Amino acid sequence: MKRTRSLYVPAAAAAVLLTAGPVASATAASATAVGTRPASAAAARADVDAAGAAAAALKKYPGFVESLDKDGSVWHVDVIGKNGKAHSEVEVSAAGAVTRSDSDTEQDGNEYKTLLAAKVDAAKAMKAALAATPGKVWSLDWDNDNDNGVADYWSVEIKSSDGSTKNVGVDAKTGKIVPADSDNDGDNDNDNDNN
């Protein structure tokens, strides 16, 4: 009797292994696939920053960034063409893709003469502002109204890690920090037109 029972046990174990083997293998493969998903999903969720949005807009519409601002996960970028006569309003998605544009090619070229001649472009202005005030660039605007004693400058809004914002002015000729049109506002920018 003992001998017969010992034959049934190995046969039953073999049957279980044959049946469970593919299931265990599929489970292991599934776990491996799931293990790789979070890394790629996290990479897909990484929002493009202001510099990336500006670069994406300029790649599609060569020229000069006049302004940019973040609205949710979308960047709105205004690009002035190299001749000053074209103006494109561009939306850049969180992934850095240009998703929409409105263009006007009949602008007065003289209106943007100082922007086109500026030694400090938008990218350099953002770098200078971030060097002076750590955080993330939330918006950038070209300003030539001389309201702070500087004829041509960039107004760069920086959002700090605590959620407060600060406007930093960057001289378009020297790259030096100058007073901006407004200073610390200490609020969380809701990106509406009532600010």
Side-chain angles (χ1 to χ4, degrees):
M1 275 298 232
K2 281 188 175 185
R3 189 166 242 232
T4 354
R5 194 183 325 166
S6 63
L7 287 175
Y8 290 117
V9 171
V16 168
L17 287 175
L18 284 175
T19 306
V23 172
S25 175
T27 303
S30 173
T32 302
V34 169
T36 59
R37 270 194 198 137
S40 62
R45 284 190 304 257
D47 285 351
V48 68
D49 65 1
L58 290 173
K59 183 175 182 183
K60 183 84 173 178
Y61 299 94
F64 302 88
V65 171
E66 177 193 25
S67 68
L68 62 78
D69 66 278
K70 190 169 186 180
D71 184 11
S73 63
V74 175
W75 287 95
H76 299 276
V77 185
D78 284 350
V79 177
I80 305 303
K82 291 183 178 182
N83 63 3
K85 294 183 180 181
H87 176 221
S88 299
E89 296 175 5
V90 181
E91 285 187 1
V92 180
S93 72
V98 176
T99 56
R100 191 188 88 186
S101 166
D102 293 322
S103 295
D104 180 5
T105 56
E106 297 179 14
Q107 296 288 310
D108 177 7
N110 290 326
E111 183 179 348
Y112 301 106
K113 189 168 67 171
T114 58
L115 171 65
L116 276 56
K119 292 182 180 179
V120 177
D121 64 5
K124 291 176 184 173
M126 287 188 278
K127 283 183 184 178
L130 287 172
T133 305
K136 293 181 179 180
V137 173
W138 215 250
S139 70
L140 168 130
D141 288 298
W142 172 255
D143 198 335
N144 61 352
D145 61 9
N146 199 20
D147 62 356
N148 65 354
V150 178
D152 301 316
Y153 72 99
W154 294 97
S155 178
V156 184
E157 182 182 18
I158 307 288
K159 186 175 254 189
S160 67
S161 59
D162 68 1
S164 64
T165 58
K166 179 174 179 148
N167 288 325
V168 178
V170 179
D171 188 308
K173 293 177 185 164
T174 65
K176 292 182 179 178
I177 303 302
V178 296
D181 52 2
S182 63
D183 208 355
N184 292 339
D185 61 14
D187 68 359
N188 293 329
D189 190 4
N190 291 328
D191 293 326
N192 62 37
D193 293 333
N194 298 327
N195 294 17

